[in-house]
Amino acid sequence: MSPLLSTALLLFSLLAACYENACGQVQSNAYLTKGAYAEKIYLQLDADVYTNDQTIWFKAVVLESAGHYPSQLSGVLHVELVAPNEEIIASKRIKLSQGSGHGAFELKKTYPAGKYLLRAYTEWNHNFGRDFVFSRYVELFPATIETKMAPIIDTKMLEHMPNTYRLQAKLFPRLIDPTHRKQLHIYLIVDGKKDSIRLKESNQGYYLLDEQLPPNAATAIIQMHTDNGIRYTRSLTTPTAPIDLQFFPEGGEWLENIPTKLGFKAVAPTGKGIAVSGTIFNNIGDTISRFQSNHLGIGSVYLMANEGSTYHAVVDSSNENSAIHAARYPLPQPSKKGKRLAIWQDEEHIKVNIQSTETIQDSLFVQVSCRGNLYYLIKTGTKSNQILASIPKNSLPEGIILFTLLGRDMRPIAERIYFHERPENRLAIRASTTNDSYEKRSKTDLQIQILGRDSLPSEAKLSVMVVSSDHIGKKASTRQNILTHFLLQSDLRGEVEEPYHYFQGDSATRAAALDALMLTQGWRKYKYNEPVPDSFLIQPEFTPYIAGDVSGLLSKKKQAGIQLSLIGFGASNVFQVQSSDSLGSFYFQLPDQYSDTLNVLLQTSNKAGKNRDYTIQLEKRHQVDAGYNALHSLEPVDSITSLLGLRRQERSKREAAYRIAAGGILLDEVVVERKQLNEQEQKVLDTYGAADVVISGKAIQEKEQKWSYGLYSVLLFNFPRDISIDRTEGPGGYLVAKVPGRDPTLVVVDGIPVPGHSYDIIPNFPPSEVKRFEVIRFAKNFANLYMQTYPEASPMNIPIVGHVVAIYTHAGQGVYNVRRSPGIMQAAVPVYSPVVEFYAPRYASMSAEDAAKPDWRTLLHWLPDVLTDKEGKTFVDYYNGDNLGETTVIIEAFNEAGDVGYYEYRYNVANKDDGSSIRSSPAAVLADEQTADE
């Protein structure tokens, strides 16, 4: 052994989760970073590709970040569906119990095709920015194959000079917003830089975009915004857009004269990895090394930098993207001085290697943590320029381990993340069936057992999904699952492509692929790098609630001791009473209600018990920006996804036939979007026509400020695109609502025309009393309404064309009855979303008439919330449909100890007489076995 090499003084303090700081004090269960206190969220979906007449079924699992124990913090999970135009088109509030819940999104045929973002978060996770917001994209196809004109067409990239393009496109905003009339506002985002542009309509009825792009631009995103705030996005790449190839030295720094592992990653303009190979040269043109990535563009290479040399990579010309051939990609500049931290493993230990360009004189520390939880602090003391240390592999959990090299002052010098595999700590899932083969509509009895650590039976929560294999396609072999999410994806910022790829193959292949991923994803994208704050601003949401502050009408001073009575009108009525606290605040926890929103009344009274008016300001919920990554729409639909989409469309026809046969009603020609109308709303619709603009009372109340002075003042400052608010001329002028243009605008309140002499009452409506505000452009029967509004008007002067504003109030009795009783406030409070039941036929108890109907379901069974007994066992049964071919059973599980597991099981369904039924067989990842995806 070299005299420069010595073994570290392993002052390990072999205390899991113990920390010895610079003062020698010991803290137990030390959380080092803010992220350790977060909640990790995972949604299991029944597919990645849908048609817009189907249902997205999901199971939610919420675990503590540090230990992966089922979270006891949050009782409400917010799940949202974001369209390609970045609008939240549907949202759900899911009840969480012992770390899990479930729900569904019923898609609508009005949803356009494209990539949709499904995201989930808890109130508590607002403390951590976007780091622990779950995000997943799904592909949506139309239910039927049809050709429609896109809102942005004839896009062209005209090259005037090498690598310099002019972008041209024709935009048709009225395809998404028929009422659009004005100039068109668009954003043009080129390589992340945003520019605002206004376009005028051409004589041909379209808006022409014609913009010069900067030299060497790679991507351009067109975001179109109509008069009514409807958006549409189109993303493009330039024809010669280069790839991005970067090299990352292990430990963060490449030192001269020290052999170093460098990870590398090649990324296409779409943001997806792309396979590359090539050669690394030094500054005088000598060939140093070859490199080759995997199919995801990731790999690693060992290099030693010579003193004073620089290095660059050239990609092979055999790669498919001809635009990248001549590009040179510089490697990091080697450093003359510094320290390097390297990690590798043998059969029993993880090795830590510290190398320095100079003799190490002072003590160094290596801090070893996982998910923000400290496991080791290694103190080293030696006078050499290399130090080695070993850590028993079984003393660390499975997942991403962060090694931080600290100086004597405990400041970081180098960091390295490393994936530690411990398959023996995962839940082992066993499944078996009673029969060897299956026919159409035959009953399947499935026995499941969960084994935990040491192969002992484990009580666990699990989900069971049974689906036709072509419903999920071969992407199932690499798609996200509970294992990949909690052990890998949830700890890293950014997207991990094909995450299940890193859990397949033999142990050496997996280790190499995972290590290359760790080197390229880098510790800078590790979520556990912020210090623990003194406190957290946002508290957990245990149940749905309503909260706010009480203040005086004029003084705005917070009022303590004010009695508040809450009355809720749901499936079961709610009545609670409390008094505002010393800060004038109140907080009502609401019992379980499954109706999306709960209408409530708040009655305030003074300390003497008399009803009195006070100002009630409801707590504003924390908002999460859409977070939609427009680069996802750059990606061409790959052949697998396209095939799945076609199969979905074919199956959609079959399933539609099944639903009709089963007694369902389908409306293909007419899609009903409007909810059930009350008498007033129906009257307005029949008399004046459908609304062009609808603003909910909730939206108006959310925009109300302390200085607001009635309904029209809120509309004036917050909804200028929807309605114009002007002031009448002359003494005693008041605010009036008008649709822009020369035609007059009249008002009906609760379906009752407002006399002209009473229009001055409307601006002062309390926003809390307004249920909805609608604008009906070019209303029917306008002349009749004008005569009712101004009966003294001359028949010769009555306009035939005009607009109507329809206001609906909680009182529901017209303009003169809007004033509320003292101390009364009305509101709609978000509560749990209604539970959607999954239907599965039971052929054993079905009538002959019903059994004769076709059954083309692709999702055969969905059980999102199954519990095993003390033996770790549970039993599930269901019936196959009429689809022939391979069927896949997917089981995902977690237990109270923080262990997770994933399992696939496959069998064939065939006609009784064709002899092609085969024995069912498991397909799972256990230790070094690779998942089969025949």
Side-chain angles (χ1 to χ4, degrees):
M1 180 179 293
S2 168
L4 297 178
L5 180 65
S6 65
T7 303
L9 299 176
L10 299 183
L11 302 179
F12 283 148
S13 306
L14 293 177
L15 302 171
C18 282
Y19 179 81
E20 178 179 302
N21 63 21
C23 299
Q25 297 174 341
V26 176
Q27 302 172 356
S28 296
N29 299 321
Y31 283 174
L32 299 177
T33 67
K34 181 180 180 180
Y37 293 88
E39 292 175 307
K40 286 186 175 183
I41 302 164
Y42 165 67
L43 296 186
Q44 177 192 7
L45 307 183
D46 65 303
D48 297 309
V49 179
Y50 299 88
T51 52
N52 57 9
D53 63 341
Q54 294 178 318
T55 299
I56 299 176
W57 300 95
F58 63 85
K59 160 74 175 285
V61 179
V62 182
L63 305 182
E64 295 176 6
S65 179
H68 284 174
Y69 305 115
S71 178
Q72 305 298 317
L73 276 178
S74 296
V76 183
L77 180 69
H78 301 263
V79 186
E80 296 168 343
L81 187 63
V82 183
N85 64 359
E86 302 181 34
E87 296 288 342
I88 300 172
I89 58 172
S91 60
K92 302 289 181 181
R93 283 160 300 279
I94 304 302
K95 181 177 181 180
L96 296 174
S97 176
Q98 299 300 312
S100 68
H102 57 91
F105 284 102
E106 295 175 294
L107 302 175
K108 300 178 181 178
K109 289 188 176 181
T110 53
Y111 293 171
K115 285 199 172 180
Y116 285 68
L117 169 63
L118 199 65
R119 69 179 190 185
Y121 58 90
T122 61
E123 282 286 305
W124 173 251
N125 273 0
H126 285 305
N127 289 299
F128 309 93
R130 294 197 55 82
D131 273 354
F132 293 93
V133 175
F134 176 89
S135 297
R136 185 166 174 178
Y137 289 85
V138 297
E139 192 86 34
L140 196 62
F141 286 83
T144 56
I145 301 174
E146 54 187 20
T147 302
K148 287 186 177 180
M149 182 175 170
I152 301 177
I153 65 170
D154 291 348
T155 54
K156 299 175 183 177
M157 292 279 190
L158 305 177
E159 188 174 20
H160 291 287
M161 293 183 293
N163 296 325
T164 302
Y165 294 89
R166 191 168 194 87
L167 172 61
Q168 293 182 348
K170 293 178 181 178
L171 288 73
F172 295 82
R174 279 187 280 277
L175 289 176
I176 58 173
D177 183 0
T179 63
H180 180 85
R181 293 290 182 271
K182 303 179 182 178
Q183 288 184 335
L184 180 62
H185 180 207
I186 73 165
Y187 288 110
L188 182 60
I189 306 170
V190 180
D191 293 340
K193 186 177 181 180
K194 195 172 188 178
D195 190 20
S196 178
I197 302 173
R198 287 194 176 275
L199 303 177
K200 291 184 178 180
E201 187 174 7
S202 69
N203 294 332
Q204 290 76 30
Y206 60 80
Y207 295 75
L208 178 63
L209 173 66
D210 188 359
E211 288 291 319
Q212 182 73 43
L213 301 182
N216 301 310
T219 63
I221 300 172
I222 306 170
Q223 289 185 344
M224 178 168 61
H225 295 243
T226 71
D227 289 346
N228 293 310
I230 300 174
R231 291 182 287 182
Y232 182 85
T233 300
R234 178 79 185 273
S235 303
L236 308 160
T237 59
T238 57
T240 56
I243 66 168
D244 178 32
L245 176 62
Q246 295 187 50
F247 289 78
F248 305 88
E250 183 177 21
E253 191 170 20
W254 190 12
L255 302 178
E256 292 182 347
N257 300 317
I258 295 179
T260 301
K261 180 191 284 189
L262 288 87
F264 63 87
K265 184 172 184 179
V267 180
T270 60
K272 295 292 186 180
I274 180 172
V276 295
S277 62
T279 305
I280 296 172
F281 299 92
N282 64 12
N283 53 303
I284 60 175
D286 294 336
T287 299
I288 303 302
S289 176
R290 292 283 300 166
F291 66 92
Q292 183 169 358
S293 74
N294 62 15
H295 70 289
L296 298 172
I298 295 174
S300 63
V301 61
Y302 272 97
L303 297 173
M304 186 170 73
N306 294 324
E307 186 173 348
S309 295
T310 59
Y311 300 86
H312 65 271
V314 176
V315 176
D316 287 339
S317 59
S318 59
N319 286 278
E320 293 182 2
N321 189 342
S322 59
I324 65 177
H325 300 164
R328 288 189 173 193
Y329 298 91
L331 273 65
Q333 178 69 43
S335 300
K336 294 183 179 298
K337 295 183 179 181
K339 296 178 178 63
R340 169 182 175 266
L341 178 64
I343 307 294
W344 75 93
Q345 67 174 2
D346 60 21
E347 290 185 2
E348 297 184 355
H349 294 88
I350 293 177
K351 304 290 187 177
V352 181
N353 184 11
I354 303 168
Q355 289 178 288
S356 175
T357 55
E358 298 177 335
T359 301
I360 301 172
Q361 300 291 344
D362 294 327
S363 295
L364 296 176
F365 298 85
V366 177
Q367 182 176 275
V368 185
S369 62
C370 180
R371 299 187 283 270
N373 198 4
L374 179 65
Y375 284 84
Y376 286 101
L377 184 68
I378 306 172
K379 182 180 179 181
T380 69
T382 184
K383 291 187 177 182
S384 71
N385 52 6
Q386 183 166 348
I387 300 172
L388 287 176
S390 297
I391 301 175
K393 292 172 65 174
N394 61 9
S395 66
L396 293 174
E398 183 171 27
I400 296 176
I401 309 296
L402 174 62
F403 293 84
T404 306
L405 178 63
L406 305 169
R408 184 177 181 180
D409 56 2
M410 304 302 288
R411 292 185 178 181
I413 298 173
E415 296 188 87
R416 166 79 149 98
I417 60 172
Y418 184 84
F419 191 89
H420 180 39
E421 275 199 288
R422 295 195 64 185
E424 71 276 11
N425 284 356
R426 302 172 195 168
L427 293 180
I429 304 174
R430 296 176 178 174
S432 60
T433 54
T434 54
N435 297 328
D436 292 340
S437 60
Y438 295 89
E439 302 169 8
K440 292 192 302 183
R441 302 199 180 191
S442 60
K443 181 182 178 183
T444 300
D445 293 297
L446 185 67
Q447 178 178 316
I448 301 169
Q449 185 176 29
I450 308 294
L451 301 178
R453 302 187 186 190
D454 299 323
S455 299
L456 296 176
S458 174
E459 294 183 71
K461 272 190 167 186
L462 55 90
S463 61
V464 178
M465 181 174 79
V466 185
V467 61
S468 294
S469 294
D470 63 357
H471 179 72
I472 53 177
K474 292 187 179 295
K475 281 195 171 186
S477 62
T478 57
R479 76 199 292 251
Q480 180 183 41
N481 58 52
I482 192 171
L483 200 67
T484 69
H485 181 77
F486 284 114
L487 296 181
L488 179 63
Q489 296 167 271
S490 59
D491 289 342
L492 295 172
R493 298 186 181 98
E495 181 185 7
V496 177
E497 295 180 63
E498 299 187 13
Y500 204 19
H501 163 74
Y502 297 98
F503 291 78
Q504 300 181 68
D506 57 62
S507 58
T509 301
R510 291 198 309 269
L514 281 164
D515 200 48
L517 178 67
M518 295 298 101
L519 289 169
T520 54
Q521 204 78 356
W523 65 266
R524 290 178 180 83
K525 293 186 178 181
Y526 191 53
K527 294 181 180 179
Y528 301 89
N529 52 10
E530 290 187 44
V532 178
D534 294 332
S535 62
F536 291 96
L537 179 63
I538 302 167
Q539 298 304 305
E541 185 180 12
F542 301 109
T543 65
Y545 68 93
I546 179 171
D549 299 316
V550 182
S551 58
L553 282 178
L554 300 177
S555 66
K556 306 299 181 183
K557 180 182 178 182
K558 296 294 188 292
Q559 301 290 312
I562 303 303
Q563 182 174 294
L564 297 102
S565 300
L566 172 74
I567 304 173
F569 307 96
S572 58
N573 292 334
V574 179
F575 182 75
Q576 298 179 30
V577 178
Q578 64 174 246
S579 296
S580 58
D581 62 19
S582 59
L583 299 177
S585 301
F586 64 89
Y587 180 95
F588 287 98
Q589 280 195 343
L590 301 173
D592 290 359
Q593 298 278 343
Y594 296 88
S595 57
D596 280 329
T597 57
L598 177 68
N599 293 319
V600 300
L601 286 176
L602 278 172
Q603 172 76 63
T604 56
S605 54
N606 59 19
K607 296 178 181 179
K610 185 176 181 180
N611 291 347
R612 291 284 303 274
D613 267 337
Y614 294 92
T615 299
I616 298 178
Q617 185 71 39
L618 294 182
E619 175 186 282
K620 290 187 177 181
R621 300 298 177 94
H622 299 90
Q623 300 294 320
V624 177
D625 60 58
Y628 187 96
N629 184 355
L631 286 177
H632 278 274
S633 58
L634 279 170
E635 304 165 34
V637 178
D638 60 53
S639 58
I640 295 177
T641 300
S642 180
L643 179 60
L644 286 175
L646 289 172
R647 287 175 176 170
R648 281 286 196 166
Q649 290 170 335
E650 294 169 0
R651 289 286 172 82
S652 178
K653 295 179 183 178
R654 294 184 176 184
E655 290 180 354
Y658 171 73
R659 292 194 295 271
I660 292 174
I665 298 175
L666 295 178
L667 300 177
D668 284 333
E669 290 76 21
V670 181
V671 179
V672 180
E673 289 292 329
R674 186 179 293 273
K675 65 181 180 60
Q676 185 66 39
L677 303 180
N678 60 31
E679 183 178 350
Q680 299 163 349
E681 295 165 337
Q682 190 65 54
K683 177 182 176 182
V684 170
L685 177 64
D686 293 341
T687 307
Y688 307 112
D692 298 290
V693 175
V694 178
I695 306 174
S696 69
K698 178 182 178 183
I700 294 172
Q701 293 165 36
E702 287 177 347
K703 297 295 185 180
E704 186 178 13
Q705 305 294 326
K706 293 182 179 179
W707 46 262
S708 298
Y709 45 92
L711 170 64
Y712 279 7
S713 71
V714 178
L715 295 173
L716 172 64
F717 293 103
N718 297 283
F719 300 93
R721 290 188 177 185
D722 300 313
I723 190 71
S724 175
I725 304 295
D726 299 327
R727 182 174 292 276
T728 59
E729 298 178 356
Y734 54 87
L735 298 179
V736 292
K738 294 179 63 178
V739 173
R742 296 182 178 181
D743 300 315
T745 302
L746 301 178
V747 182
V748 296
V749 177
D750 299 320
I752 304 171
V754 179
H757 57 75
S758 298
Y759 270 49
D760 58 340
I761 299 175
I762 306 172
N764 301 313
F765 281 2
S768 61
E769 296 305 300
V770 176
K771 289 172 61 179
R772 196 163 67 257
F773 182 97
E774 296 183 350
V775 177
I776 306 169
R777 297 191 178 105
F778 304 106
K780 299 186 298 183
N781 301 309
F782 185 80
N784 291 335
L785 176 60
Y786 193 92
M787 286 188 289
Q788 294 179 68
T789 304
Y790 302 105
E792 70 282 2
S794 168
M796 302 296 296
N797 297 326
I798 294 175
I800 299 176
V801 177
H803 318 287
V804 170
V805 166
I807 302 173
Y808 300 94
T809 69
H810 290 289
Q813 299 179 16
V815 68
Y816 302 117
N817 293 282
V818 173
R819 290 298 176 186
R820 54 189 171 88
S821 303
I824 289 287
M825 178 184 182
Q826 303 180 49
V829 184
V831 291
Y832 295 126
S833 297
V835 176
V836 181
E837 296 293 336
F838 179 81
Y839 169 75
R842 309 292 295 183
Y843 284 115
S845 57
M846 189 173 289
S847 67
E849 181 182 358
D850 288 336
K853 298 171 183 177
D855 181 358
W856 300 116
R857 293 169 300 127
T858 51
L859 182 61
L860 297 174
H861 206 55
W862 171 250
L863 281 177
D865 196 15
V866 181
L867 296 175
T868 62
D869 58 21
K870 293 182 179 180
E871 297 298 317
K873 294 181 179 180
T874 189
F875 299 88
V876 174
D877 64 80
Y878 57 90
Y879 286 83
N880 297 296
D882 291 338
N883 291 316
L884 301 178
E886 189 180 71
T887 296
T888 300
V889 180
I890 295 177
I891 303 169
E892 299 194 353
F894 70 97
N895 65 6
E896 291 185 353
D899 301 324
V900 295
Y902 176 81
Y903 194 79
E904 294 177 7
Y905 189 85
R906 296 189 180 94
Y907 61 87
N908 263 25
V909 175
N911 289 317
K912 184 176 182 180
D913 56 354
D914 69 5
S916 62
S917 294
I918 64 170
R919 183 180 178 86
S920 55
S921 60
V925 174
L926 293 175
D928 291 343
E929 297 177 9
Q930 182 172 0
T931 297
D933 196 354
E934 301 294 336

